[in-house]
């Protein structure tokens, strides 16, 4: 068979998973090619907070934070709810600890603990911790990148705050009265110091280029090459032409193309969502599932779709990003606001997005319908003046066409088509909770992670303030995917893809959101998606190199 070019390892996708595999392979002496269909490098993880959740590590220990694997394992075990593979679940913490140490000490990534940021479910779930398990990249100066590479790496198109503020800076502002994020944002932007997912992508690209990794954007992998039942290469097409090239992978091919957010049939079938919006790049189309089907690997839903990390959010009419209509995710819980269903009733802890998302998808056996969907964010003018909805900043007018409004709550119910009596009763009861700071119905404000994200610590009760100042507003919510899927390719502890017959597909690997969440099962915590990408990219390349005897 003739080849246009040859490498040891080919990584399909340039997010944290693909780049982690590339870095590991190159460090071990392999020649590595990274291909990405999008014209910018970094994948969905570059749009994210960039957080990693490995559990206790040498970094948390160095900060003097007391933690242990037993507690962290109890936390994971509870969140998995029996849906995970026991071997993968029980090896996760030790494997993550080794991967993090490899990337800090051997590769040289400058990671840091996000101090004072608790696990999602602290203190409600056994084994949860008040801090120490979240990591992030330190601000990375993009000026270190050679040539035009700084302009080839994704930064968030949804606002500089997503790419130029660290988790530590945000938490410090919230809890300790630290420097305002607006100030640090301006400083980081001026110096082009990238943070969060954009900073992690920039740091990984820099390290990859130092090790001779070839990174090629605007290149779609359209097929896998199979010889004797083994994956031996890919067929790739450059966006600038219709011609294809056959590229050999002597050791293996890693699929790290993300989820399937831009594939409506997959979102409907796996995530059970109709007309869902998304906040990803336009190349997240389930390519890993299409490619792997050729060798008998089928999508594996690792948990109920109601427990997938899918947000609620809103759409701004006419807003186009990357040439497609886009949506904005909502982290609920800001004071002067709550979320209701069509009966005007609150139905979840609306200061904690996982509870809102899970209960928005509740299907009632008696009514034969989604009892909490559609849903609305309801707020008053105090909310607009103090917090607002992006891309508008506090005090600016709401984005045009996003909301309906009225000078009274009853009038708002009428124009929004929400039950008026239900909404008035809900507002009265919620305003009563604002006096005590105790939500007797759904526990709003009881989980510190949610309060840190959206609370106002200048108030007596950070998650509570009355709806009192007219006009009143209602925004009809959408379900919004952010690249974290319900289904992925089944893999083992080395990242090897497993066929529907239960056999390893030689030469084929998957990581990150392309791989099913068999290690975590039903539960989710911020940082898990990125950590899984890093971990199994690392493990896959180590396995390829070991198998080849390099």
């Amino acid at each position: 068979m003739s080849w246009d070019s040859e490498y040891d390892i080919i990584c399909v996708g340039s997010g944290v998973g693909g780049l982690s595999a590339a870095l590991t392979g190159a460090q071990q002496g392999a020649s590595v090619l990274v291909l990405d269909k999008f014209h910018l490098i970094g994948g969905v993880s570059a749009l994210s907070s960039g957080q990693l959740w490995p559990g206790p590590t040498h970094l948390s220990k160095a900060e003097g934070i007391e933690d242990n694997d037993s507690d962290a394992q109890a936390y994971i075990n509870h969140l998995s709810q029996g849906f995970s593979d026991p071997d993968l679940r029980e090896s996760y913490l030790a494997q993550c600890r080794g991967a993090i140490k490899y990337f800090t000490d051997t590769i040289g990534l400058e990671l840091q603990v996000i101090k004072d940021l608790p696990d999602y479910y602290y203190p409600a779930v056994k084994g949860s911790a008040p801090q120490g398990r979240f990591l992030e990249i330190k601000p990375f100066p993009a000026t270190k990148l050679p040539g035009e590479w700084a302009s080839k790496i994704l930064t968030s198109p949804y606002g500089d705050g997503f790419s130029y503020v660290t988790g530590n800076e945000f938490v410090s502002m919230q809890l300790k009265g630290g420097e305002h994020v607006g100030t640090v944002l301006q400083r980081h932007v001026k110096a082009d110091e990238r943070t969060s997912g954009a900073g992690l992508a920039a740091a990984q690209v820099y390290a990859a280029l130092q090790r001779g990794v070839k990174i090629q954007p605007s290149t779609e992998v359209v097929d896998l090459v199979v010889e004797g039942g083994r994956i031996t290469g890919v067929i790739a097409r450059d966006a600038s032409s219709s011609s294809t090239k056959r590229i050999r992978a002597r050791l293996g091919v890693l699929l790290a193309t993300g989820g399937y957010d831009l594939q409506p049939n997959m979102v409907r079938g796996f995530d059970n969502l109709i007309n869902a919006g998304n906040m990803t790049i336009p190349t997240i189309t389930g390519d890993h599932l299409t490619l792997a089907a050729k060798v008998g690997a089928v999508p594996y839903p690792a948990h109920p779709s109601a427990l997938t990390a899918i947000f609620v959010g809103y759409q701004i009419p006419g807003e186009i990003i990357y040439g497609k209509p886009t949506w904005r995710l909502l982290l609920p819980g800001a004071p002067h606001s709550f979320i209701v269903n069509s009966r005007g009733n609150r139905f979840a802890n609306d200061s904690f997005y996982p509870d809102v998302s899970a209960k928005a998808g509740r299907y009632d056996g008696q009514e034969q319908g989604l009892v909490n969907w559609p849903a609305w964010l309801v707020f008053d003018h105090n909310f607009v003046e103090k917090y607002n909805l992006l891309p508008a900043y506090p005090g600016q007018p709401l984005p045009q066409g996003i909301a309906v409004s009225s000078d009274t709550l009853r009038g708002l119910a009428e124009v929004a088509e929400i039950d008026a009596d239900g909404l008035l009763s809900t507002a009265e009861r919620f305003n009563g909770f604002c006096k005590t700071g105790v939500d007797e119905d759904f526990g709003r404000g009881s989980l510190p992670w949610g309060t840190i994200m959206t609370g106002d610590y200048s108030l007596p009760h950070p998650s509570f303030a009355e709806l009192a100042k007219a006009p009143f507003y209602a925004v009809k919510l959408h379900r919004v995917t952010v690249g974290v899927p319900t289904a992925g390719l089944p893999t083992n502890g080395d990242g090897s893809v497993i066929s529907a017959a239960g056999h390893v597909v030689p030469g084929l690997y998957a990581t990150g959101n392309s791989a099913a969440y068999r290690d975590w099962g039903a539960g989710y915590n911020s940082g898990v998606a990125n950590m899984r990408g890093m971990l199994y990219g690392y493990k896959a390349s180590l396995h390829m190199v070991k198998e080849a005897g390099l």
Side-chain angles (χ1 to χ4, degrees):
M1 183 173 291
S2 61
W3 301 97
D4 293 292
S5 57
E6 299 187 16
Y7 295 84
D8 292 324
I9 297 171
I10 297 176
C11 302
V12 187
S14 66
V16 63
L19 290 174
S20 294
L23 282 167
T24 305
Q27 182 68 31
Q28 300 299 122
S31 59
V32 183
L33 172 66
V34 176
L35 301 174
D36 200 296
K37 186 163 63 169
F38 199 44
H39 68 283
L40 297 172
I41 295 298
V44 169
S45 52
L47 302 181
S48 75
S49 66
Q51 293 173 355
L52 303 164
W53 196 98
T57 63
H58 69 288
L59 296 174
S60 56
K61 184 177 181 180
E63 292 288 348
I65 296 171
E66 294 186 6
D67 199 356
N68 60 79
D69 278 6
S70 178
D71 284 347
Q73 191 66 57
Y75 182 67
I76 295 173
N77 291 349
H78 177 85
L79 266 59
S80 74
Q81 290 294 297
F83 287 97
S84 61
D85 177 282
D87 291 337
L88 294 177
R89 184 182 72 241
E90 291 168 11
S91 65
Y92 177 86
L93 292 171
Q95 299 289 353
C96 284
R97 188 162 50 250
I100 291 298
K101 192 161 184 61
Y102 182 86
F103 282 105
T104 57
D105 295 5
T106 302
I107 300 298
L109 294 184
E110 296 188 37
L111 300 175
Q112 61 184 0
V113 174
I114 305 178
K115 296 178 182 177
D116 301 312
L117 185 62
D119 291 337
Y120 265 19
Y121 299 94
Y122 174 81
V125 170
K126 179 182 177 181
S128 58
Q131 66 167 332
R133 295 175 180 172
F134 286 97
L135 304 179
E136 66 177 349
I137 195 76
K138 291 181 180 179
F140 182 85
T143 52
K144 291 176 65 174
L145 291 159
E148 298 179 352
W149 275 104
S151 64
K152 294 180 180 179
I153 300 172
L154 271 165
T155 57
S156 176
Y158 298 98
D160 288 338
F162 290 95
S163 300
Y164 291 95
V165 175
T166 69
N168 271 299
E169 289 162 342
F170 180 79
V171 173
S172 175
M173 179 194 74
Q174 284 287 78
L175 296 182
K176 300 177 180 179
E179 198 172 14
H180 193 276
V181 293
T183 303
V184 298
L185 187 153
Q186 291 177 355
R187 184 170 65 248
H188 290 317
V189 168
K190 184 176 181 180
D192 200 5
E193 292 175 333
R194 302 187 187 179
T195 66
S196 306
L200 181 58
Q204 287 195 303
V205 167
Y206 175 73
L209 294 174
Q210 285 186 312
R211 288 162 175 80
V213 174
K214 183 175 181 181
I215 303 173
Q216 190 169 317
S218 300
T219 305
E220 178 183 6
V221 172
V222 296
D223 203 358
L224 299 174
V225 179
V226 186
E227 295 179 278
R230 180 181 180 85
I231 306 301
T232 59
V234 302
I235 298 177
R237 179 171 55 219
D238 189 292
S240 62
S241 67
S242 58
S243 61
T244 59
K245 291 185 177 180
R246 303 171 66 88
I247 309 174
R248 184 182 181 190
R250 286 183 286 260
L251 306 188
V253 173
L254 176 87
L255 300 178
T257 58
Y260 43 75
D261 302 57
L262 274 291
Q263 195 67 265
N265 289 338
M266 292 183 183
V267 173
R268 185 182 298 110
F270 298 133
D271 300 336
N272 304 131
L273 297 177
I274 301 171
N275 299 323
N278 67 81
M279 198 172 171
T280 62
I281 53 179
T283 52
I284 308 301
T285 53
D287 292 2
H288 56 299
L289 302 180
T290 304
L291 292 167
K294 179 177 183 176
V295 290
V298 299
Y300 180 93
H303 52 256
S305 60
L307 300 179
T308 302
I310 295 170
F311 288 76
V312 295
Y314 51 95
Q315 186 173 31
I316 298 170
E319 185 175 41
I320 301 294
I321 291 180
Y322 296 135
K324 67 178 181 67
T326 192
W327 287 256
R328 300 270 178 161
L329 66 83
L330 171 72
L331 280 179
H336 303 291
S337 71
F338 54 67
I339 292 175
V340 298
N341 57 26
S342 61
R343 294 183 300 282
N345 297 330
R346 293 176 63 226
F347 56 86
N349 174 355
D350 47 12
S351 67
F352 189 57
Y353 89 82
D355 197 42
V356 174
S357 295
K359 291 175 181 174
R362 178 187 159 216
Y363 189 86
D364 186 84
Q366 291 193 105
E367 295 191 13
Q368 296 296 300
L370 294 169
V371 292
N372 295 321
W373 199 255
W376 289 260
L377 176 70
V378 177
F379 51 95
D380 71 354
H381 200 63
N382 282 315
F383 175 95
V384 177
E385 292 179 335
K386 296 178 182 179
Y387 316 116
N388 219 331
L389 295 172
L390 289 172
Y393 289 102
Q396 294 180 342
L398 278 169
Q400 189 172 4
I402 192 177
V404 294
S405 64
S406 175
D407 287 335
T408 67
L409 281 171
R410 182 170 290 279
L412 180 67
E414 291 175 359
V415 295
E417 299 183 345
I418 302 170
D419 181 84
D421 290 340
L423 181 60
L424 289 170
S425 176
T426 293
E428 181 179 6
R429 186 164 176 78
F430 179 82
N431 286 350
F433 296 156
C434 294
K435 294 178 173 63
T436 63
V438 178
D439 177 2
E440 298 174 8
D441 295 334
F442 300 104
R444 177 174 171 137
S446 61
L447 293 173
W449 183 90
T451 305
I452 290 170
M453 291 298 108
T454 60
D456 183 343
Y457 285 84
S458 70
L459 298 174
H461 310 297
S463 295
F464 295 91
E466 296 182 353
L467 275 70
K469 185 176 182 179
F472 301 94
Y473 305 86
V475 173
K476 193 170 186 178
L477 297 175
H478 297 247
R479 302 305 301 275
V480 180
T481 65
V482 293
V484 180
T486 300
L489 294 171
T491 54
N492 64 17
D494 293 316
S496 295
V497 172
I498 302 171
S499 72
H503 307 304
V504 166
V505 179
L508 186 62
Y509 300 79
T511 191
N513 291 324
S514 292
Y517 278 67
R518 298 176 68 234
D519 47 355
W520 269 76
Y524 188 76
N525 198 104
S526 279
V528 169
N530 285 335
M531 188 63 240
R532 293 179 71 254
M534 177 176 279
L535 172 61
Y536 294 110
Y538 159 78
K539 292 284 290 180
S541 281
L542 287 182
H543 186 260
M544 291 185 226
V545 169
K546 181 180 178 181
E547 289 287 290
L550 291 183

